[in-house]
């Protein structure tokens, strides 16, 4: 071609040869023949210079010259780049872009082609930045890429892209790439971040909201803008706006949501920003009907994030605001995610609780009571209320704790336990006792609660409360199931009885309640001992119990007033325990045990009689059935003591004492039988003392006094008592003459009143006996004073004697 040219080719020839050279060079370069392409294009350089220097006064070929030159230079630039000659490529690019006059003459298509080539080179440099390791070399490439893309943008910027979609797309592509370049090179020039943001805003401004707003390509632009803003450390407001733009144009998918959440995790230093963005994303999910999984993930993420907030009150407010929004749209949170949320709330509440931050713990627990967790049922909310109440209890805010626990159903044992704790620390003992009673009968009751309550009451030295807790614990035991339960129950009964006795010793003791409790638990102890299939293992317990009951009853005799029945019940319990002890003792029983047994039985019967006498003095009419019960009890006591004597369980030294008890019981028998009008029993009882070899005068005196006061007593019964008394008096040999005279006088009256021969004869016999007594004991002393029959008694005896003799003589006649 050069051979065919003239020495001084004209404009058209130059244009033609440059065009051929450009096409040839471009083709060879594309085929990879870089050396050949470089050679061809290098040879054509003199023709480009000749064309540049040729005169064109009329300007006819001005545009053609500009176009051919631009194509040549761009082709040579592209070939040099492919060859790796970056300096030559940059030199060619500068020659193209720095000549504004030439660029103005280029067509839109030529400009578009040129800008594309410049952009491709800039992109290749950016790609190498991503591929290479981070170094100064990388930053240098980024700056170089920016220069190439700036040239591409300067070529295309003046063009009107409104009517040319391809040109508009190319411009957006240049701006996107330029933004990336600015971003990568910002470490060397921080101002590039502002340039990158400006470029991105210009691209985003060209998006048609109705068509491209949610496309993945333009969503990437928003992510890029966020990265730029983050790197230039913009304020929270700017960052939030960038995040909101991403969220607003987010097409929901699990991966897209994951991207947002992961991005928020990188912004943890902007705590309130992340909170606002998460809340905004949650709002978007609810308004745009994203899947339930999205809402659930956002709630869990929000809870997790708020737990790290340094300002506790703000974190709780943020949670409540989001919960309210979810509730307002009637979104139903399923059980699994609700459980996950509740678990997190409990975890963070427990963390504060164990760190001693009670208010914070209570607030976290209270979040779990929100209505969005209704799918978990009332059990979950109750647990949250209880945890919150416990936290307030720890900070001694008892009023707040009480108001919270009252929102729980009172049918749950755990709720009653927390109520118990609140009452205890407030000193409300009655409320605490009520809670304990309710707890035992509540749902899901666990004995460990009672044990904890027992320990707390003991540590606080609240004896009355401890007593009720031990009672409740005893109620939970079924001691008929196995041996272990029996031993535990007996131990528990012992603790209760010991505590009751301590309380009884206090000055302001509530005797009515405590004595009733003591009797109740003594009966339980007897029941346990009687029902045990292996009684030997309870021997020590029974031994302690009977001694305690016996001693308590003895002390009560001097301390308690008008409580004979209750004291008798305690003695009776001691007696029953003594009988069990003697029956199942593993070793020989000491004789003293039987003495205690007899004493307890006697004391019980005596107390009944004393109580009955007091009742009779206060009440006009008493049912005969009560007299019968009293009679039976006295008789049983009589039989028990008699058995001890018959079996010779005691030493001879102790016999007189027990026989004395028998005599007193016989007096009680006569008293009860007389009220029952059981005169046969009275007569039989009067004969009993005469069989004893012990002195029975006092017993007969008591018989006579009792029957003498009973207006309904038959004469023959009274006479028998008096006669027995008189005989006992004569047998004793030492007696009161005054009493003897009174008894003799009463007997003679009865005999004379009967007016039978035998009775008159018997009267004469008693008068003779009186004379003998006068002769023998007339000068006897009683307490230092001379004791004599009164003249009136002597005169009366003379009258009786005379009347009897006269009646006998007349009768004999």
């Amino acid at each position: 071609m050069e051979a065919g040219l003239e020495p001084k080719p004209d404009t058209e020839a130059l244009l033609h040869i440059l065009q051929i050279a450009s096409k040839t060079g471009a083709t060879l370069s594309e085929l990879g023949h870089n050396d050949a392409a470089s050679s061809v294009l290098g040879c054509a350089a003199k023709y480009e210079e000749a064309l540049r220097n040729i005169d064109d006064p009329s300007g006819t070929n001005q545009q053609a010259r500009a176009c051919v030159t631009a194509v040549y230079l761009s082709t040579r630039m592209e070939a040099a780049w492919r060859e790796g000659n970056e300096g030559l490529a940059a030199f060619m690019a500068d020659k193209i872009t720095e000549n504004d006059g030439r660029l103005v003459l280029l067509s839109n298509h030529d400009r578009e082609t040129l800008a594309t080539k410049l952009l491709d080179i800039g992109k290749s440099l950016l790609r190498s930045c991503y591929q290479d390791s981070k170094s100064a070399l990388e930053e240098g490439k980024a700056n170089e890429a920016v220069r190439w893309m700036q040239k591409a943008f300067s070529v295309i910027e003046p063009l009107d892209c409104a009517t040319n979609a391809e040109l508009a797309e190319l411009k957006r592509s240049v701006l996107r790439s330029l933004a990336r370049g600015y971003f990568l090179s910002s470490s060397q020039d921080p101002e590039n971040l502002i340039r990158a943001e400006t470029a991105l805003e210009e691209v985003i401004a060209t998006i048609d909201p109705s068509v491209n707003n949610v496309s993945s390509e333009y969503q990437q632009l928003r992510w890029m803008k966020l990265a730029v803003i983050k790197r230039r450390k913009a304020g929270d407001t700017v960052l939030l706006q960038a995040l909101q733009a991403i969220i607003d144009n987010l097409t929901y998918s699990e991966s897209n949501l994951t991207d947002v959440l992961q991005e928020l995790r990188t912004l943890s230093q902007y705590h309130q920003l992340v909170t606002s963005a998460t809340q905004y994303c949650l709002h978007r999910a609810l308004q745009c009907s994203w899947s339930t999984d999205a809402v659930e993930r956002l709630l869990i993420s929000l809870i997790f994030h708020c737990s790290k907030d340094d300002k506790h009150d703000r974190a709780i407010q943020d949670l409540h605001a989001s919960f309210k929004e979810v509730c307002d749209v009637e979104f139903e949170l399923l059980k699994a995610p609700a459980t996950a949320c509740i678990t997190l709330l409990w975890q963070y509440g427990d963390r504060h609780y164990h760190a001693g931050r009670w208010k914070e713990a209570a607030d976290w627990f209270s979040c779990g009571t929100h209505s969005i967790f209704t799918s978990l049922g009332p059990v979950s909310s109750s647990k949250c209320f209880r945890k919150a109440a416990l936290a307030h209890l720890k900070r001694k805010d008892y009023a707040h704790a009480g108001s919270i626990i009252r929102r729980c159903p009172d049918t749950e044992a755990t709720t009653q336990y927390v109520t118990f704790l609140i009452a205890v620390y407030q000193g409300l003992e009655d409320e605490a006792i009520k809670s304990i009673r309710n707890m035992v009968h509540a749902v899901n009751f666990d004995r460990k609660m009672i044990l904890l309550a027992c320990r707390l009451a003991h540590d606080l030295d609240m004896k009355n409360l401890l007593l009720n807790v031990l009672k409740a614990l005893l109620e939970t035991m079924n001691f008929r199931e196995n041996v272990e339960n029996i031993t535990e129950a007996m131990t528990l009964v012992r603790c209760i009885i010991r505590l009751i006795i301590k309380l009884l010793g206090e000055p302001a003791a509530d005797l009515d309640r405590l004595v009733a409790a003591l009797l109740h638990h003594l009966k339980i102890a007897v029941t346990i001992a009687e029902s045990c299939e292996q009684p030997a293992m309870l021997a020590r317990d029974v031994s302690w119990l009977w001694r305690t009951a016996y001693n308590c009853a003895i002390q009560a005799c001097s301390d308690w007033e008008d409580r004979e029945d209750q004291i008798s019940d305690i003695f009776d319990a001691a007696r029953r325990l003594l009988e069990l002890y003697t029956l199942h003792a593993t070793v020989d029983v000491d004789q003293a045990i039987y003495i205690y047994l007899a004493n307890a039985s006697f004391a019980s019967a005596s107390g009944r009689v004393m109580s009955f006498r007091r009742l009779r003095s206060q009440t006009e009419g008493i049912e005969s059935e009560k007299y019968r019960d009293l009679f039976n009890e006295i008789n049983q006591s009589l039989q028990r003591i008699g058995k001890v004597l018959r079996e010779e369980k005691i030493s001879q030294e102790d016999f007189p004492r027990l026989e004395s008890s028998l005599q007193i019981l016989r007096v009680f028998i006569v008293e009860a039988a007389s009220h029952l009008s059981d005169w046969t029993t009275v007569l039989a009882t009067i004969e009993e003392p005469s069989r004893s070899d012990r002195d029975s005068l006092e017993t007969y005196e008591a018989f006579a006094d009792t029957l003498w006061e009973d207006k309904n007593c038959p004469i023959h019964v009274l006479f028998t008592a008096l006669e027995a008394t008189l005989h006992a008096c004569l047998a004793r040999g030492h007696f009161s003459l005054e009493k003897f005279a009174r008894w003799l006088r009463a007997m003679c009256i009865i005999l004379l009143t009967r007016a039978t021969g035998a009775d008159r004869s018997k009267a004469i016999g008693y008068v003779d006996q009186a004379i003998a007594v006068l002769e023998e004991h007339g000068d006897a002393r009683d307490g230092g004073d001379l004791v004599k029959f009164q003249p009136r008694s002597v005169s009366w005896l003379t009258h009786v004697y005379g009347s009897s003799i006269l009646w006998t003589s007349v009768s004999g006649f």
Side-chain angles (χ1 to χ4, degrees):
M1 292 181 64
E2 286 182 346
L5 286 176
E6 296 179 358
K8 291 185 178 180
D10 57 8
T11 301
E12 290 184 1
L14 290 174
L15 290 174
H16 181 68
I17 196 168
L18 273 178
Q19 286 177 340
I20 294 173
S22 297
K23 290 179 179 179
T24 302
T27 302
L28 290 172
S29 178
E30 289 175 0
L31 294 173
H33 303 303
N34 295 321
D35 292 340
S38 178
S39 176
V40 170
L41 293 171
C43 292
K46 57 185 177 182
Y47 300 112
E48 184 272 331
E49 183 179 2
L51 182 63
R52 184 174 65 248
N53 294 327
I54 197 170
D55 292 332
D56 186 14
S58 62
T60 305
N61 298 315
Q62 186 176 7
Q63 184 173 6
R65 289 169 59 189
C67 290
V68 170
T69 302
V71 169
Y72 167 75
L73 292 175
S74 63
T75 301
R76 193 171 182 187
M77 172 192 72
E78 190 175 18
W81 179 259
R82 288 174 179 169
E83 188 181 9
N85 192 346
E86 296 180 6
L88 180 59
F91 176 75
M92 293 295 117
D94 290 339
K95 289 187 68 175
I96 299 171
T97 56
E98 289 176 359
N99 192 334
D100 294 333
R102 184 187 300 127
L103 288 176
V104 171
L105 296 175
L106 295 179
S107 66
N108 288 351
H109 179 269
D110 292 336
R111 279 181 174 246
E112 182 178 349
T113 303
L114 176 60
T116 301
K117 290 181 179 182
L118 292 169
L119 178 61
D120 288 342
I121 294 174
K123 283 182 176 181
S124 65
L125 284 170
L126 281 181
R127 283 193 292 270
S128 64
C129 290
Y130 287 112
Q131 293 171 358
D132 296 342
S133 60
K134 292 183 179 180
S135 62
L137 179 61
E138 174 191 346
E139 295 174 353
K141 286 184 178 181
N143 285 326
E144 187 66 23
V146 167
R147 285 193 288 272
W148 281 96
M149 288 182 285
Q150 284 176 335
K151 290 180 172 62
F153 185 73
S154 65
V155 171
I156 202 172
E157 183 182 16
L159 302 181
D160 183 11
C161 303
T163 58
N164 190 333
E166 293 181 356
L167 193 58
E169 181 60 33
L170 176 61
K171 186 176 182 180
R172 286 193 288 268
S173 179
V174 172
L175 287 171
R176 285 197 300 272
S177 299
L178 192 56
R180 291 190 183 96
Y182 283 137
F183 180 76
L184 290 176
S185 61
S186 60
S187 59
Q188 287 186 335
D189 186 1
E191 292 296 325
N192 280 350
L193 290 174
I194 298 176
R195 298 186 184 99
E197 186 177 354
T198 303
L200 289 171
E201 287 176 351
E202 187 173 347
V203 177
I204 294 171
T206 63
I207 298 173
D208 184 358
S210 62
V211 179
N212 298 321
N213 204 32
V214 296
S215 68
S216 60
E217 181 181 0
Y218 292 108
Q219 190 69 346
Q220 288 177 2
L221 293 175
R222 299 182 184 95
W223 281 110
M224 190 184 303
K225 180 180 178 180
L226 176 62
V228 171
I229 293 172
K230 282 173 59 180
R231 179 168 288 191
R232 74 178 181 87
K233 298 180 181 180
D236 289 6
T237 303
V238 177
L239 282 170
L240 181 60
Q241 289 174 350
L243 286 166
Q244 287 176 340
I246 293 172
I247 294 168
D248 285 336
N249 298 282
L250 183 69
T251 301
Y252 172 72
S253 68
E254 188 174 346
S255 60
N256 286 342
L257 181 59
T258 300
D259 291 341
V260 172
L261 294 177
Q262 286 180 344
E263 183 64 30
L264 293 176
R265 198 170 295 123
T266 64
L267 296 169
S268 57
Q269 68 272 25
Y270 304 98
H271 187 89
Q272 193 56 32
L273 165 68
V274 176
T275 302
S276 300
T278 307
Q279 289 178 322
Y280 188 81
C281 192
L282 178 63
H283 170 77
R284 186 71 178 172
L286 294 171
Q287 296 299 320
C288 298
S289 301
W290 289 1
S291 72
T292 57
D293 290 343
V295 177
E296 293 158 1
R297 287 185 64 188
L298 287 167
L299 276 176
I300 293 173
S301 178
L302 183 64
I303 294 171
F304 177 79
H305 173 70
C306 287
S307 68
K308 299 180 179 180
D309 196 344
D310 294 335
K311 297 181 179 179
H312 168 75
D313 293 337
R314 181 179 65 184
I316 298 300
Q317 290 175 0
D318 291 337
L319 284 178
H320 279 295
S322 297
F323 290 169
K324 182 178 182 300
E325 183 175 9
V326 173
C327 188
D328 289 343
V329 300
E330 298 181 356
F331 180 85
E332 184 178 357
L333 198 63
L334 300 179
K335 284 188 177 182
T339 302
C341 291
I342 285 289
T343 302
L344 284 177
L345 294 173
W346 289 349
Q347 177 182 335
Y348 302 138
D350 287 337
R351 186 182 300 168
H352 287 291
Y353 187 91
H354 295 306
R357 297 186 290 269
W358 315 120
K359 181 183 180 300
E360 290 80 354
D363 290 340
W364 277 99
F365 292 138
S366 297
C367 287
T369 64
H370 200 279
S371 56
I372 66 170
F373 302 116
T374 52
S375 61
L376 298 177
V379 174
S380 175
S381 60
S382 295
K383 187 172 182 179
C384 292
F385 280 130
R386 287 192 296 270
K387 284 176 171 286
L390 284 173
H392 286 297
L393 179 65
K394 281 289 189 179
R395 63 193 293 254
K396 298 182 180 180
D397 189 355
Y398 304 124
H400 201 171
S403 65
I404 288 177
I405 200 62
R406 282 191 290 272
R407 299 173 66 182
C408 295
D410 58 3
T411 56
E412 298 176 346
T414 45
T415 298
Q416 292 297 335
Y417 179 72
V418 176
T419 305
F420 161 79
L421 291 178
I422 295 172
V424 166
Y425 285 108
Q426 285 183 291
L428 304 176
E429 200 165 289
D430 292 340
E431 291 293 327
I433 292 171
K434 180 182 177 182
S435 299
I436 286 295
R437 292 171 181 168
N438 293 337
M439 184 198 309
V440 175
H441 301 97
V443 179
N444 299 328
F445 169 71
D446 189 343
R447 285 182 60 197
K448 291 180 180 178
M449 300 177 188
I450 289 289
L451 295 174
L452 291 172
C454 181
R455 181 173 182 178
L456 178 61
H458 179 269
D459 292 342
L460 297 177
D461 196 27
M462 301 176 74
K463 294 186 179 66
N464 193 33
L465 175 60
L466 178 59
L467 176 60
N468 284 274
V469 173
L470 291 173
K471 288 180 183 178
L473 181 58
L474 183 61
E475 288 180 15
T476 65
M477 301 184 67
N478 186 356
F479 51 80
R480 293 180 178 83
E481 288 185 355
N482 54 54
V483 174
E484 291 184 2
N485 279 357
I486 289 177
T487 55
E488 289 180 7
M490 186 61 87
T491 302
L492 193 54
V493 169
R494 288 179 57 181
C495 293
I496 293 173
I497 292 174
R498 181 185 286 113
L499 183 57
I500 291 174
I501 292 174
K502 283 185 179 180
L503 290 171
L504 284 170
E506 294 181 352
D510 184 356
L511 287 181
D512 290 336
R513 181 177 59 84
L514 292 174
V515 172
L518 176 62
L519 290 172
H520 175 69
H521 288 89
L522 283 173
K523 290 178 181 178
I524 292 177
V526 172
T527 302
I528 294 174
E530 289 177 344
S531 63
C532 182
E533 296 179 356
Q534 302 177 23
M537 69 181 184
L538 298 179
R540 293 182 61 186
D541 297 298
V542 173
S543 176
W544 183 90
L545 285 165
W546 79 254
R547 295 174 194 276
T548 301
Y550 188 90
N551 292 333
C552 179
I554 294 294
Q555 185 66 34
C557 289
S558 59
D559 294 346
W560 301 352
E561 294 182 1
D562 299 333
R563 294 183 181 275
E564 293 85 357
D565 277 334
Q566 292 172 320
I567 295 173
S568 295
D569 288 335
I570 298 174
F571 272 122
D572 196 50
R575 188 263 310 166
R576 294 177 65 184
L577 290 165
L578 275 162
E579 289 176 344
L580 289 169
Y581 181 75
T582 58
L583 184 63
H584 303 295
T586 56
V587 296
D588 292 338
V589 178
D590 187 35
Q591 291 181 346
I593 297 296
Y594 293 99
I595 298 294
Y596 291 127
L597 192 154
N599 289 344
S601 182
F602 172 73
S604 176
S606 300
R608 306 286 185 203
V609 173
M610 297 303 106
S611 175
F612 206 86
R613 287 176 179 173
R614 183 164 52 84
L615 178 64
R616 192 175 62 200
S617 66
Q618 298 171 355
T619 307
E620 293 183 359
I622 300 177
E623 299 175 0
S624 60
E625 197 63 36
K626 292 183 178 179
Y627 283 115
R628 177 60 60 185
D629 292 340
L630 177 63
F631 174 82
N632 291 336
E633 188 158 350
I634 297 170
N635 190 45
Q636 290 173 5
S637 179
L638 189 69
Q639 300 302 322
R640 292 190 194 100
I641 298 176
K643 182 181 179 182
V644 172
L645 291 172
R646 288 193 306 273
E647 294 179 357
E648 298 183 353
K649 298 288 188 180
I650 59 176
S651 63
Q652 291 299 319
E653 291 80 3
D654 295 318
F655 264 78
R657 191 192 316 167
L658 296 193
E659 287 183 349
S660 176
S661 298
L662 284 178
Q663 301 291 31
I664 296 173
L665 290 174
R666 290 190 181 102
V667 174
F668 295 158
I669 285 285
V670 169
E671 183 179 347
S674 66
H675 286 294
L676 291 170
S677 298
D678 186 358
W679 307 115
T680 303
T681 301
V682 171
L683 291 172
T685 305
I686 291 173
E687 296 175 0
E688 283 292 328
S690 63
R691 301 190 189 116
S692 172
D693 58 356
R694 303 293 175 186
D695 194 358
S696 55
L697 176 59
E698 291 81 2
T699 304
Y700 284 118
E701 286 187 59
F703 288 164
D705 290 340
T706 300
L707 296 174
W708 186 268
E709 293 177 1
D710 191 343
K711 305 302 181 182
N712 298 320
C713 178
I715 295 299
H716 71 282
V717 176
L718 178 59
F719 182 80
T720 302
L722 291 171
E723 188 176 33
T725 304
L726 189 61
H727 291 166
C729 184
L730 294 172
R732 181 175 183 178
H734 180 72
F735 50 84
S736 171
L737 291 177
E738 182 180 357
K739 290 183 179 180
F740 178 82
R742 186 168 63 248
W743 297 332
L744 184 62
R745 183 177 175 181
M747 291 173 60
C748 290
I749 291 173
I750 294 172
L751 291 172
L752 293 175
T753 302
R754 290 177 180 173
T756 63
D759 292 332
R760 294 281 183 171
S761 298
K762 188 178 288 189
I764 293 172
Y766 281 123
V767 172
D768 292 338
Q769 185 69 51
I771 294 170
V773 169
L774 284 172
E775 292 175 349
E776 182 178 354
H777 301 285
D779 296 331
R781 292 182 177 275
D782 186 3
D785 297 327
L786 186 65
V787 179
K788 295 183 178 180
F789 263 33
Q790 297 294 329
R792 184 178 56 184
S793 298
V794 175
S795 175
W796 185 83
L797 287 172
T798 304
H799 170 71
V800 170
Y801 185 79
S803 298
S804 299
I805 295 297
L806 177 60
W807 190 89
T808 304
S809 299
V810 174
S811 177
F813 178 79

